[in-house]
Amino acid sequence: MAKKISYILTATIILGLLIAYFTYPPFGDFINKSWEILLSKDEERIRDYFKGFGFWGPLAIVILMILQIFLIVFPSWLPMIVAVMAYGFIGGVLISVIGVFLASSLGYTIGRLLGEDNLAKILGKNKNKKVNNMVEEYGFWAIALFRISPFLSNDAISIIAGMLTMSYRKFILATLSGIIPLAIAIGYFAEDPDTLKNGLYWIGGVGFVMYGLYIYVDRRKQRKK
């Protein structure tokens, strides 16, 4: 029953957003203008724009994070920087974590709706089985790595985790394990764009290397057994 409710809720949210975008001009204008302002990279303009929403500003940022699931070219870390710029370190980190939590949960549910059969059709049964085994063995840390690395596809990993019927509890804990350190790092370095950019590269690079070493050591242990 709970699964059916979550599926219906997810489908309703997606359909509602799409209908609102195409049939309700104020909402469509908000999305288009937000997109244009975010891509302008004008920090003062971005900050003032979202602060202009007043009480609804944080909600506007969260909505953009959710819509980012459907905007592949839209960088997932940009709304997090906006949140910190507009609402400070603590407010920005909280908004970022809440936004990613909701967007990830939605992506996961979309994956569950699509089902593992569709993934098997895309990858083939043999590859799908290998991916499934990898998720079972290293899924938690793989998702944490994708979350902490701002240049990897966060939304793809959410949908794939859902398609592979990974435990939601395991998925969301891994998501929070990665996104909280990233949100804190963005909050800390957001005032200096150059330092932030270098910091994000270092965070993603170190996380990727550590994950690779973890798999390498684990595989060697399994071979010895």
Side-chain angles (χ1 to χ4, degrees), residues 3-225:
K3 286 183 180 180
K4 288 184 179 179
I5 292 174
S6 67
Y7 293 162
I8 293 170
L9 183 60
T10 299
T12 302
I13 291 172
I14 295 171
L15 187 61
L17 290 172
L18 289 172
I19 291 173
Y21 179 80
F22 289 108
T23 63
Y24 185 58
F27 183 73
D29 292 341
F30 158 70
I31 297 300
N32 294 333
K33 188 174 181 181
S34 298
W35 173 265
E36 185 266 321
I37 289 175
L38 286 169
L39 293 182
S40 72
K41 298 181 180 179
D42 185 333
E43 295 180 13
E44 188 173 346
R45 185 185 178 199
I46 293 171
R47 183 178 64 249
D48 292 343
Y49 174 70
F50 282 96
K51 276 192 171 182
F53 287 102
F55 175 80
W56 299 105
L59 179 60
I61 295 174
V62 169
I63 289 173
L64 283 176
M65 288 183 170
I66 293 173
L67 290 174
Q68 193 262 332
I69 295 173
F70 311 102
L71 301 171
I72 299 172
V73 297
F74 190 68
S76 59
W77 43 266
L78 188 54
M80 299 171 70
I81 295 175
V82 171
V84 173
M85 288 168 54
Y87 300 100
F89 177 79
I90 295 176
V93 170
L94 285 174
I95 292 168
S96 297
V97 172
I98 291 170
V100 172
F101 174 86
L102 294 174
S104 300
S105 298
L106 181 61
Y108 175 88
T109 307
I110 291 171
R112 292 297 293 266
L113 283 167
L114 292 173
E116 188 176 349
D117 290 341
N118 284 317
L119 186 62
K121 289 178 183 177
I122 296 170
L123 298 178
K125 290 185 178 180
N126 291 332
K127 286 186 178 179
N128 183 61
K129 188 174 181 180
K130 289 180 181 179
V131 170
N132 222 326
N133 292 335
M134 285 288 289
V135 168
E136 288 181 5
E137 292 182 35
Y138 310 112
F140 183 94
W141 296 111
I143 290 169
L145 168 67
F146 268 74
R147 295 303 176 193
I148 205 170
S149 300
F151 307 108
L152 296 177
S153 178
N154 289 317
D155 307 309
I157 199 68
S158 299
I159 294 171
I160 290 172
M163 293 176 82
L164 291 173
T165 63
M166 181 181 186
S167 161
Y168 174 75
R169 182 179 179 182
K170 182 179 181 181
F171 164 76
I172 208 64
L173 284 175
T175 292
L176 294 175
S177 297
I179 207 62
I180 290 175
L182 177 62
I184 292 172
I186 288 176
Y188 184 78
F189 293 114
E191 292 184 3
D192 186 343
D194 291 330
T195 303
L196 173 62
K197 186 176 180 180
N198 292 330
L200 292 178
Y201 277 115
W202 274 103
I203 291 171
V206 170
F208 189 77
V209 170
M210 289 179 65
Y211 179 65
L213 287 173
Y214 168 72
I215 292 178
Y216 175 74
V217 172
D218 186 69
R219 286 292 177 90
R220 290 202 64 178
K221 286 181 179 178
Q222 289 183 16
R223 286 173 185 171
K224 287 181 179 179
K225 288 180 180 179

